């Protein structure tokens, strides 16, 4: 039987046996292009994988734990994470490689174009709770990358170097993106620096138009080949590269000597389409000079401006066939990715007018208020309109909320450089995202209270520090990130008037 026929037969047998009979990397192996890196915080990417998926680190004491699937080939044990992280914060500090090649991702070191906010210039870790989903009907969490967050492995095994062929796919959030550089997943420099054209081959997702673009306003799947995000053959617009509008997407970039391709589709329905398949751009991209490091959420030189959400992704040895990728897409569809609510705890209802009262001992006689642009806690009563906020549907994400000033209609609480400010809504995407917050169960566990997570920076919460309002992380570079007093300072009693 010809190889293609065998593959189809085996695939259909596996697919009918059980939904967990074969996963993405099983199909790549069947196609003769095995995974040499397989990363996911949501699920096993092999039917028989039962090892570690990712590591979380707890804010309260720095302890770590590894999250595994709940059964062989299954979904990540989100309940174990929730227990471990109860009444504190958690970040994702390692994403394990399921392929057996040992290509784990850890927090990215500083690079030629990006010095991260953590000690030594390392990037930020992602929040462990920024992107809750259901996969195969079970709760799991994706990797929510804010600007400044990134993962890397500079010492890999089995990843393509030079002009060697490879393929990649990733499942991403089609609604979380920006025009910064560069939300990538894939092959990059081992030196953390830009070493020239053709030294990268990675999936890019976003609406950056500095180099290329696709049809419509974006976001688009493009390829980061270094010194350029490519939607097609050259640094130009490729109208065959569509704007992505689905909540979940499957993104593919693959390359072999003299040739590369972009494919993509809705990760919830339908198949994959090819937006580019053709020759390499020139000059410097043919032959390629791939170096074999792996990046997630950043550019090759650690450019830190991108944002996006990663659920799963792999890199292969060899150039996968379209047929193999179609089977991978069918497996992704079977996973049934569904977004879960971003809010929890006592409801904070759209349309209500509220006050925020600190819960820190010694500060409960205050309310979060504003004086002009400054947002701070003040000794005022709930009759003072400077302390009254109308809850609106989130300007940047309708699953969370925004807070409009009662005495200055049209002005909202937003963060800027992580400081809370009152500003007029200018209608921009940045303003909307900076003024979108997700009330959740209180970090301190105090009954009847909420913590208020920043949608775009889910490691950060409304905090008063020396009575000034910030979005603070639990331990971080700024004084207002201080771990001392964190749990109480980020816990508020929200009262409807
Ligand atoms: O190719 C786009 C970006 O350019 C790369 O990710 C980065 O290394 C360089 O700044
Ligand atoms: O508050 C953090 C960031 O600071 C905001 O997202 C951005 O608008 C500003 O640069
Ligand atoms: O905002 C008042 C206090 O200032 C906070 O409780 C404390 O963490 C900081 O010193």
């Amino acid at each position: 039987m010809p190889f293609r026929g065998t593959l189809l037969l085996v695939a259909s047998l596996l697919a009918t046996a059980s939904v967990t009979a074969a996963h993405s990397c099983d199909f790549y192996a069947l196609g003769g292009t095995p995974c040499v890196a397989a990363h996911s915080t949501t699920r096993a990417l092999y039917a028989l994988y039962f090892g570690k998926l990712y590591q979380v680190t707890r804010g309260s004491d720095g302890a770590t734990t590894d999250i595994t699937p709940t059964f062989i080939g299954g979904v990540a044990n989100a309940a174990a994470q929730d227990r471990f992280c109860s009444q504190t914060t958690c970040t994702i500090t390692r994403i394990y490689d399921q392929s057996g090649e040992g290509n784990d991702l850890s927090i990215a070191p500083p690079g030629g174009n990006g010095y991260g906010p953590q000690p030594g210039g390392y990037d930020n870790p992602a929040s462990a709770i920024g992107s809750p989903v259901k996969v195969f009907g079970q709760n799991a969490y994706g990797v929510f990358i804010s600007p400044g967050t990134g993962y890397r492995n500079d010492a890999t095994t089995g990843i393509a170097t030079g002009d060697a062929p490879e393929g990649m796919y990733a499942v991403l959030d089609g609604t979380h993106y920006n025009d910064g550089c560069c939300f990538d997943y894939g092959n990059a420099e081992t030196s953390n620096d830009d070493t020239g054209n053709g030294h990268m081959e990675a999936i890019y997702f976003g609406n950056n138009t500095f180099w290329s673009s696709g049809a419509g306003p974006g976001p688009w799947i493009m390829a980061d080949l270094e010194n350029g995000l490519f939607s097609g053959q050259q640094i130009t617009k490729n109208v065959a590269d569509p704007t992505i509008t689905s909540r979940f997407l499957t993104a593919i970039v693959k390359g072999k000597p003299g040739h590369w391709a972009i494919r993509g589709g809705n990760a919830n329905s339908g198949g994959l389409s090819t937006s580019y398949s053709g020759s390499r751009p020139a000059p410097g991209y043919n032959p390629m000079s791939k170096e074999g490091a792996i990046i997630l959420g950043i550019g090759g030189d650690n450019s830190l401006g991108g944002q996006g959400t990663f659920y799963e992704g792999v890199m292969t040895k060899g150039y996968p066939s379209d047929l193999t990728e179609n089977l991978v897409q069918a497996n992704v569809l079977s996973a049934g990715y569904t977004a879960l609510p971003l809010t929890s705890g006592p409801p904070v209802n759209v349309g209500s007018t509220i006050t925020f009262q600190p819960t820190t001992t010694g500060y409960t006689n205050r309310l979060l208020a504003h004086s002009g642009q400054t947002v701070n806690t003040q000794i005022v009563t709930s009759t003072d309109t400077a302390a009254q906020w109308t809850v609106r549907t989130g300007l940047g994400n309708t699953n969370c909320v925004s807070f409009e000033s009662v005495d200055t209609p049209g002005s909202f609480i937003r963060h800027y450089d992580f400081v809370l400010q009152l500003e007029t809504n200018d209608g921009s995407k940045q303003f909307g995202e900076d003024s979108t917050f997700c009330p959740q169960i209180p970090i301190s566990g105090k009954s009847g209270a909420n913590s208020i997570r920043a949608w775009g920076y889910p490691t950060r919460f409304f905090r008063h520090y020396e009575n000034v309002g910030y979005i603070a992380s639990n331990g971080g570079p700024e004084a207002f990130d201080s771990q001392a007093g964190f749990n109480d300072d980020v816990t508020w009693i929200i009262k409807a008037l």
Side-chain angles (χ1 to χ4, degrees), residues 98 118 142 151 178 268 280 314 320 350 362 388 391 435 483 493:
Q98 304 177 29
Q118 296 292 324
Y151 296 85
N178 70 4
N268 284 139
R280 292 283 189 187
V314 312
V350 170
Q388 297 177 354
V391 182
S435 58
Q483 287 176 288
I493 300 283

Side-chain angles (χ1 to χ4, degrees), residues 13 52 58 73 85 103-104 112 226 262 406-407 463:
L13 284 175
K52 299 182 278 194
R58 190 155 72 182
C85 303
N103 294 324
D104 301 347
E226 189 52 278
I262 300 178
V406 165
D407 64 25
R463 180 185 195 168

Side-chain angles (χ1 to χ4, degrees), residues 360 363 463-467 489:
T360 311
Y363 299 92
R463 180 185 195 168
H464 62 95
Y465 188 83
E466 290 172 357
N467 302 325
D489 291 349

